[in-house]
């Protein structure tokens, strides 16, 4: 087996002219270079010194990013499974497209266009995310598309939209972290999840910054903190209300900023009035002195940054938790200036771009809402269809799987995700998958989800697919192709275009190459919140990435958001008074 794997490595990863790429895992998207071993021909990875984000570093994930690309169990040809869990049968691409298209047409004729849905992922390129949305609405003409980012960033996205009027993971570039004098890390374990971000924090600490970690556990990240708050799960808003109470009571609020650039201070004042440090200690066990120390430290610091992640977002009151942490930045005026800002530390490789251009059930490219008549008219114009042809909004990822279980959705196409593993209530998901009359999975492996598929189509890996991604800062960058496709595998975007052709909708998916897809994406996003219209492949290659919004070819991009105004019509941010709810599942002896 080892000899076979070694041979596979040489055969699979045929190197192309310029073997550089980006790690496929977390949202740092560190640059890497692929080098052939002179003796074995197998490729090895070293950090790129060119990409500015990771400062020439890679973690263990990045150093091993090729393992799945060259794995001997990779799917190399289209496969069909006709009944239950019978063995797979290889077939040609033409047979696969014909069979899938025939079944889709049959299901839609019997049950309506919404009988077939699409389930995407947060690791796909911007171009493939965009095409998935377009394919669903134009080729399938279905309302049902969503993606696994619903289980990741949706709370933070909703909170940012409510508070700022726009959702970008970080309001400032990573390069501002070393300029911060006080940093709060809530529900995030950066040292283990985004290791190459740690140098930014360590540089800040070297310059004298205070770092506070808020996490029920002692983590690798908390080891570098000056203050570690071991908060019980579900009590984030109680704790933050205590911080806000101290800031307001002791007049540590930036009154001018609050008056001129925010709305809703009175609601916050009322909501936190009863959350004295003494009461917070009673409710959470966090000492009164700690509450006062953190509140005073952050408020009095010359600059400060708050970073949150899934720990507080993936709760039933995750949006409220996130809004309250945003309140800390807004009440102290720590946003839109050097060393200041708020960030939700994105998990997946393209968790940011994945939700900007059409994978979410209610959105069109550029963060446009699908039920906004002006948005529909603009995007339909780019796509060459009548706005009336566009379906309405669908449902979230989990609700989509529920509709499968309920029998409303009869066919599903899954790309870049494994919902049987990543979804809650996986017994329901497994039951639902078995009810599908058509399940098409585009993947590199026979995943847990793919075992229930009727068609398993071999897609492309990160090193084989050229395209763009958007990292946690909001930096759009170009990832070139580094290796050739193995076997009969195809690029994901080509699979979607060719399947659209089989469905009789191919005229809307005519692209000479992936750059054409990006140019259309940029045009579709023009005027939207996530405006990419000034971005081109050439500009990305020259600048090593550009921050959106970038609305014109001469625009430099926007590394720092909210320097002058927020994205609400009146230019002001929204403060929210949060009334903490008890956690959905309080800890106890059996489940500590």
């Amino acid at each position: 087996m080892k000899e076979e794997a070694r041979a596979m490595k040489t055969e699979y990863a045929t190197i192309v002219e310029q073997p550089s790429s980006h790690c496929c895992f977390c949202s740092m998207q560190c640059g890497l270079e692929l080098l052939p071993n002179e003796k074995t021909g197998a490729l090895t990875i070293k950090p790129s010194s060119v990409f500015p984000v990771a400062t020439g570093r890679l973690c263990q994930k990045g150093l091993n990013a090729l393992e799945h690309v060259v794995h001997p169990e990779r799917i190399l040809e289209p496969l069909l499974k006709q009944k239950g869990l019978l063995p797979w049968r290889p077939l040609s691409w033409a047979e696969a497209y014909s069979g899938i298209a025939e079944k889709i047409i049959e299901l839609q004729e019997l049950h309506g266009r919404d009988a077939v849905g699409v389930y995407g992922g947060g690791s796909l390129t911007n171009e493939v995310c965009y095409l998935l949305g377009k394919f669903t609405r134009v080729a399938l003409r279905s309302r049902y598309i969503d993606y696994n980012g619903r289980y990741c960033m949706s709370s933070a996205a909703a909170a940012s939209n409510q508070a700022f009027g726009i959702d970008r993971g970080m309001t400032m570039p990573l390069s501002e972290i070393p300029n911060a004098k006080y940093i709060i890390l809530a529900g995030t374990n950066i040292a283990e999840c985004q290791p190459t971000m740690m140098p930014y924090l360590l540089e800040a600490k070297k310059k004298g910054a205070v770092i506070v970690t808020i996490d029920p556990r002692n983590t690798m990240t908390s080891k570098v903190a000056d203050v570690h708050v071991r908060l019980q799960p579900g009590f984030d808003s109680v704790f933050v209300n205590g911080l806000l109470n101290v800031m307001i009571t002791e007049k540590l609020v930036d009154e001018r900023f609050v008056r001129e650039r925010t709305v809703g201070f009175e609601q916050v004042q009322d909501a936190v009035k009863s959350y004295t440090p003494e009461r917070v200690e009673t409710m959470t066990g966090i000492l009164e002195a700690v509450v006062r120390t953190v509140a005073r430290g952050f408020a009095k610091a010359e600059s400060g940054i708050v970073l949150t992640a899934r720990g507080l977002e993936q709760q039933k009151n995750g949006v409220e938790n996130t809004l309250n942490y945003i309140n800390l930045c807004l009440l102290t005026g720590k946003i839109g200036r050097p060393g200041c800002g708020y960030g939700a530390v994105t998990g997946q490789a393209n968790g940011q771009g994945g939700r900007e251009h059409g994978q979410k059930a209610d959105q069109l490219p550029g963060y446009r809402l699908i039920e906004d008549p002006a948005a529909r008219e603009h995007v339909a114009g780019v796509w060459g269809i009548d706005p009336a042809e566009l379906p309405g909004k669908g449902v979230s990822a989990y609700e989509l799987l529920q509709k499968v279980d309920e029998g409303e959705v009869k066919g599903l196409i899954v790309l870049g995700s494994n919902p049987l593993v990543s979804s809650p209530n996986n017994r329901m998901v497994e039951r639902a998958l078995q009810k599908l009359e058509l399940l098409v999975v585009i993947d590199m492996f026979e995943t847990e989800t793919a075992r229930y598929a009727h068609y398993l189509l071999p897609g492309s890996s990160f090193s084989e697919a050229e395209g763009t991604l958007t990292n946690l800062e909001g930096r759009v960058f170009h990832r070139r192709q580094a290796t050739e496709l193995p076997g009969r595998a195809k690029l994901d975007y080509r699979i979607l275009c060719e399947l659209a052709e089989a469905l009789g909708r191919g005229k809307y998916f005519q692209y000479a190459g992936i750059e054409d897809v990006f140019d259309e994406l940029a045009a579709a996003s023009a005027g939207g919140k996530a405006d990419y219209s000034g971005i081109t492949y050439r500009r990305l290659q020259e600048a090593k990435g550009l921050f959106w919004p970038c609305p014109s070819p001469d625009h430099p991009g926007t590394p720092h958001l909210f320097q002058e105004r927020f994205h609400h019509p009146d230019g002001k941010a929204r403060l929210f008074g949060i009334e903490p709810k008890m956690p959905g599942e309080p800890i106890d002896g059996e489940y500590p």
Side-chain angles (χ1 to χ4, degrees):
M1 179 60 75
K2 287 183 179 179
E3 291 301 319
E4 290 177 9
R6 193 173 294 118
M8 288 282 193
K9 284 193 176 188
T10 307
E11 178 186 348
Y12 277 23
T14 307
I15 205 162
V16 298
E17 187 177 346
Q18 292 179 295
S20 64
S21 187
H22 291 265
C23 174
C24 56
F25 292 109
C26 86
S27 56
M28 289 293 288
Q29 284 299 285
C30 305
L32 52 84
E33 295 178 11
L34 306 179
L35 304 173
N37 184 299
E38 293 182 3
K39 295 181 179 179
T40 66
L43 297 177
T44 58
I45 290 175
K46 78 168 191 176
S48 168
S49 60
V50 179
F51 192 55
V53 174
T55 60
R57 295 174 175 87
L58 284 175
C59 73
Q60 287 300 311
K61 290 181 287 186
L63 291 169
N64 292 280
L66 278 179
E67 290 302 306
H68 67 289
V69 177
V70 299
H71 198 282
E73 294 179 12
R74 187 168 171 184
I75 303 300
L76 298 178
E77 59 187 342
L79 299 173
L80 169 67
K81 189 187 292 177
Q82 290 178 308
K83 290 184 180 180
L85 298 178
L86 295 177
W88 293 104
R89 177 175 73 82
L91 71 167
S92 69
W93 278 102
E95 289 175 306
Y97 290 142
S98 174
I100 293 167
E102 183 179 321
K103 189 63 178 179
I104 287 173
I105 292 168
E106 175 192 324
L107 290 173
Q108 291 187 321
E109 285 180 349
L110 287 172
H111 307 288
R113 289 174 178 165
D114 294 335
V116 181
V118 171
Y119 195 106
S123 61
L124 306 170
T125 63
N126 289 320
E127 291 82 351
V128 174
C129 294
Y130 168 80
L131 275 184
L132 268 183
K134 181 180 178 182
F135 176 85
T136 306
R137 281 114 182 189
V138 177
L140 295 178
R141 290 171 281 185
S142 169
R143 72 176 61 232
Y144 288 135
I145 177 173
D146 212 76
Y147 80 125
N148 61 20
R150 286 286 185 177
Y151 305 144
C152 178
M153 292 292 296
S154 57
S155 293
S160 291
N161 274 318
Q162 291 178 38
F164 305 136
I166 195 170
D167 163 32
R168 196 177 84 181
M170 299 183 75
T171 68
M172 72 292 168
L174 288 169
S175 58
E176 283 302 320
I177 291 176
N179 299 325
K181 299 301 182 186
Y182 208 101
I183 300 171
I184 294 176
L185 307 174
T188 178
N189 184 7
I190 289 170
E192 295 181 64
C193 298
Q194 286 84 15
T196 54
M197 195 196 300
M198 283 303 291
Y200 292 98
L201 294 169
L202 295 175
E203 179 65 20
K205 191 174 178 68
K206 184 178 177 181
K207 290 182 175 182
V210 174
I211 296 178
V212 176
T213 51
I214 302 170
D215 196 304
R217 304 170 304 149
N218 291 316
T219 67
M220 293 293 290
T221 308
S222 69
K223 289 182 179 180
V224 306
D226 299 277
V227 179
H228 177 47
V229 180
R230 293 196 65 177
L231 191 67
Q232 292 183 51
F235 285 88
D236 286 271
S237 284
V238 172
F239 177 69
V240 177
N241 272 4
L243 302 181
L244 296 170
N245 176 284
V246 173
M247 292 176 182
I248 294 171
T249 302
E250 299 187 6
K251 301 190 183 305
L252 301 176
V253 171
D254 186 334
E255 294 182 0
R256 180 177 177 181
F257 185 93
V258 170
R259 181 177 64 255
E260 295 179 358
R261 300 201 57 192
T262 72
V263 174
F265 175 71
E266 293 77 15
Q267 289 93 315
V268 176
Q269 194 172 31
D270 290 343
V272 307
K273 189 176 298 182
S274 66
Y275 287 87
T276 62
E278 295 83 0
R279 184 185 178 202
V280 170
E281 179 176 343
T282 301
M283 295 179 71
T284 66
I286 305 302
L287 296 176
E288 169 194 344
V290 173
V291 177
R292 294 189 188 277
T293 297
V294 174
R296 291 167 179 165
F298 186 77
K300 292 179 179 180
E302 178 186 341
S303 56
I305 287 172
V306 175
L307 300 179
T308 67
R310 309 302 83 75
L312 62 98
E313 296 161 12
Q314 290 186 338
Q315 300 178 23
K316 75 173 191 178
N317 54 342
V319 176
E320 291 82 0
N321 288 340
T322 309
L323 284 169
N324 228 11
Y325 279 103
I326 291 173
N327 282 340
L328 292 175
C329 294
L330 293 175
L331 256 65
T332 57
K334 289 182 171 58
I335 200 160
R337 57 186 180 86
C340 295
Y342 164 77
V345 183
T346 311
Q348 295 187 86
N350 199 27
Q352 180 66 50
R355 66 184 186 270
E356 293 172 358
H357 299 299
Q359 278 196 109
K360 284 182 76 175
D362 60 344
Q363 288 184 182
L364 291 170
Y367 271 147
R368 286 184 162 90
L369 293 176
I370 197 167
E371 298 199 331
D372 174 11
R376 294 170 68 86
E377 184 175 357
H378 174 83
V379 175
V382 174
W383 289 349
I385 64 173
D386 189 314
E389 291 184 56
L390 285 171
K393 68 178 180 180
V395 295
S396 69
Y398 184 73
E399 292 171 305
L400 175 56
L401 296 171
Q402 285 180 315
K403 287 190 175 293
V404 173
D405 188 42
E406 293 162 1
E408 183 177 339
V409 172
K410 308 287 186 180
L412 192 66
I413 299 171
V414 178
L415 172 57
S417 192
N418 187 7
L420 182 53
V421 169
S422 60
S423 302
N425 194 4
N426 64 355
R427 289 184 182 178
M428 182 278 289
V429 176
E430 184 174 27
R431 182 176 68 237
L433 294 177
Q434 294 178 73
K435 293 180 179 179
L436 284 165
E437 296 181 39
L438 174 67
L439 175 57
V440 179
V441 174
I442 305 168
D443 210 302
M444 297 166 59
F445 298 95
E446 184 186 14
T447 64
E448 289 83 353
T449 298
R451 289 173 190 160
Y452 294 100
H454 302 92
Y455 291 87
L456 176 53
L457 306 181
S460 48
S461 76
F462 79 99
S463 67
E464 297 146 5
E466 181 184 12
T468 64
L469 296 97
T470 306
N471 78 345
L472 75 169
E473 307 167 287
R475 182 195 301 263
V476 187
F477 63 92
H478 176 258
R479 185 182 72 194
R480 65 178 75 249
Q481 180 189 4
T483 61
E484 299 288 354
L485 285 162
R488 293 163 59 200
K490 284 181 178 280
L491 295 172
D492 295 339
Y493 96 95
R494 292 305 320 163
I495 296 173
L496 294 174
C497 293
E498 290 166 5
L499 186 52
E501 185 76 42
L503 288 165
R505 305 289 283 178
K507 67 179 182 178
Y508 301 106
F509 295 84
Q510 298 298 313
Y511 305 103
I514 196 65
E515 188 171 358
D516 285 356
V517 179
F518 181 83
D519 291 342
E520 185 180 284
L521 176 161
S525 76
K529 291 181 179 180
D531 192 332
Y532 284 33
S533 59
I535 301 177
T536 63
Y537 272 20
R538 181 185 60 79
R539 290 193 70 193
L540 293 178
Q541 290 160 359
E542 291 174 354
K544 303 295 185 294
L546 291 167
F547 290 81
W548 69 263
C550 184
S552 64
D554 58 351
H555 193 283
T558 314
H560 298 83
L561 292 176
F562 316 135
Q563 290 180 309
E564 296 178 359
R565 58 181 285 118
F566 293 92
H567 215 277
H568 289 295
D570 61 3
K572 295 185 177 184
R574 298 319 192 237
L575 291 160
F576 289 85
I578 303 302
E579 297 288 350
K581 303 178 181 69
M582 290 302 292
E585 293 181 284
I587 61 174
D588 55 31
E590 187 176 1
Y591 294 100

